[in-house]
Amino acid sequence: MSLWGHYEKISVQGSKRKAKIFIPSLLHSALPPLVFFAIPIVAMLSGSDEGRPLRYSPWSIAFIAFFFLLFFAVGLMGVWAGICEQRDAKRMRNGELVLRSGELFMLSRMYSMRYHHDYRFAIRNQQGRGEVEIYEMPEKLYQQFSARCWGGTYHVRSLREESRLFYGLDPRVYQVDIVVLPPEKGPAFRLVELSDAMRRIAGEGLPKNDGKYPVFTGTVVDILYKNGRFDTFYVKDDVLFER
């Protein structure tokens, strides 16, 4: 047990497998928004002269109001993120994790901000006659995938190193079981239109829904690798993201 949370092995529906899941504590979920709520208050208290408030110009008052609203908004976002985190952990404990199987044959990256990327991977779904499905890959799972392909642990220290690693991947095509938490409400997949390059790569896995591909709307919790075979594995920037 820890102040920040702990790991638990949780059963997955329809299989004998158990996924190792991090269960955050209330302190882990509550501390970030509390920090953002506290920063403007501390700033105001420190902006006094021997206990007497300083005189502010209208511009200063406007800036302070904006400062308060900004941090308050970020704090509210943190509260909502904490609520979602706790709710997802409860759902996992209640046995809502699901296993999906397929052939992982493609990895894609898109720049979302400096020194940060979003990752997606594509599988040929064994339950769907080889049809292609697309999933989000959390950063932690991407690092595990990269380490597996390199045959050892590899930690990316910079954007330049990550670029070299990304284009230097030479993995097998893997048979995988994907542990997922389906969305609480709404469909498990949304349909998106991707580039012609994706259609050429997918080959026999072309979608039947007006040429649109299904993107999973829930959370990928873990990827469990089975036997791999050497074959063409695609690493392409942006190909799995909407146009």
Side-chain angles (χ1 to χ4, degrees), residues 188-202:
F189 291 90
R190 60 186 178 89
L191 297 177
V192 303
E193 189 168 349
L194 301 178
S195 65
D196 291 337
M198 177 60 189
R199 299 176 189 277
R200 291 194 297 271
I201 293 169

Side-chain angles (χ1 to χ4, degrees), residues 14 24 29 53 57 64 99 102 129 158 170-171 179 197-198 211:
S29 300
S57 67
I64 291 170
L99 203 68
R129 298 181 181 179
S158 69
D170 187 22
V179 180
M198 177 60 189

Side-chain angles (χ1 to χ4, degrees), residues 7 18 20 80 121 124 134 161 167 170 182 186 228 232 241:
Y7 284 91
K18 289 189 176 182
K20 189 177 181 181
W80 177 246
F121 64 95
R124 293 186 177 94
I134 300 169
E161 283 190 17
Y167 289 108
D170 187 22
T232 302
F241 292 86

Side-chain angles (χ1 to χ4, degrees), residues 103 105-106 122-125 129-134 194-208 211-214 232 234 236 239-240:
E103 180 186 76
F105 72 99
M106 188 173 184
I123 68 167
R124 293 186 177 94
N125 189 352
R129 298 181 181 179
E131 293 183 5
V132 172
E133 294 176 351
I134 300 169
L194 301 178
S195 65
D196 291 337
M198 177 60 189
R199 299 176 189 277
R200 291 194 297 271
I201 293 169
E204 296 178 357
L206 285 173
K208 300 177 182 178
K212 295 183 178 180
Y213 291 86
T232 302
Y234 298 93
K236 301 286 187 179
V239 173
L240 296 181

Side-chain angles (χ1 to χ4, degrees), residues 51-115:
R52 292 174 298 175
L54 295 175
R55 294 182 179 180
Y56 296 105
S57 67
W59 285 108
S60 298
I61 293 173
F63 176 77
I64 291 170
F66 173 78
F67 181 75
F68 262 92
L69 290 174
L70 176 63
F71 276 83
F72 186 75
V74 174
L76 287 178
M77 290 170 61
V79 169
W80 177 246
I83 292 172
C84 293
E85 192 176 45
Q86 292 293 326
R87 184 177 59 196
D88 286 350
K90 183 178 180 180
R91 291 180 60 206
M92 292 178 195
R93 280 176 156 174
N94 289 340
E96 295 187 35
L97 290 177
V98 176
L99 203 68
R100 302 184 69 87
S101 298
E103 180 186 76
L104 195 162
F105 72 99
M106 188 173 184
L107 177 68
S108 188
R109 174 183 65 174
M110 182 181 73
Y111 294 94
S112 57
M113 62 180 67
R114 191 177 182 185
Y115 302 117

Side-chain angles (χ1 to χ4, degrees), residues 123-231:
I123 68 167
R124 293 186 177 94
N125 189 352
Q126 293 176 347
Q127 295 105 328
R129 298 181 181 179
E131 293 183 5
V132 172
E133 294 176 351
I134 300 169
Y135 295 82
E136 306 286 348
M137 179 179 277
E139 177 70 23
K140 178 182 177 182
L141 297 184
Y142 168 74
Q143 293 290 349
Q144 292 174 358
F145 176 83
S146 302
R148 186 181 186 91
C149 293
W150 277 68
T153 302
Y154 186 89
H155 296 288
V156 176
R157 295 188 297 268
S158 69
L159 181 62
R160 183 174 297 177
E161 283 190 17
E162 185 177 34
S163 295
R164 286 203 299 266
L165 172 62
F166 191 81
Y167 289 108
L169 290 175
D170 187 22
R172 302 180 180 189
V173 172
Y174 285 101
Q175 297 293 331
V176 295
D177 287 333
I178 308 171
V179 180
V180 300
L181 182 66
E184 196 168 16
K185 297 180 181 179
F189 291 90
R190 60 186 178 89
L191 297 177
V192 303
E193 189 168 349
L194 301 178
S195 65
D196 291 337
M198 177 60 189
R199 299 176 189 277
R200 291 194 297 271
I201 293 169
E204 296 178 357
L206 285 173
K208 300 177 182 178
N209 302 296
D210 297 325
K212 295 183 178 180
Y213 291 86
V215 176
F216 187 64
T217 59
T219 303
V220 177
V221 176
D222 202 0
I223 301 175
L224 308 173
Y225 296 89
K226 298 188 287 188
N227 294 330
R229 58 185 176 84
F230 286 103
D231 201 348

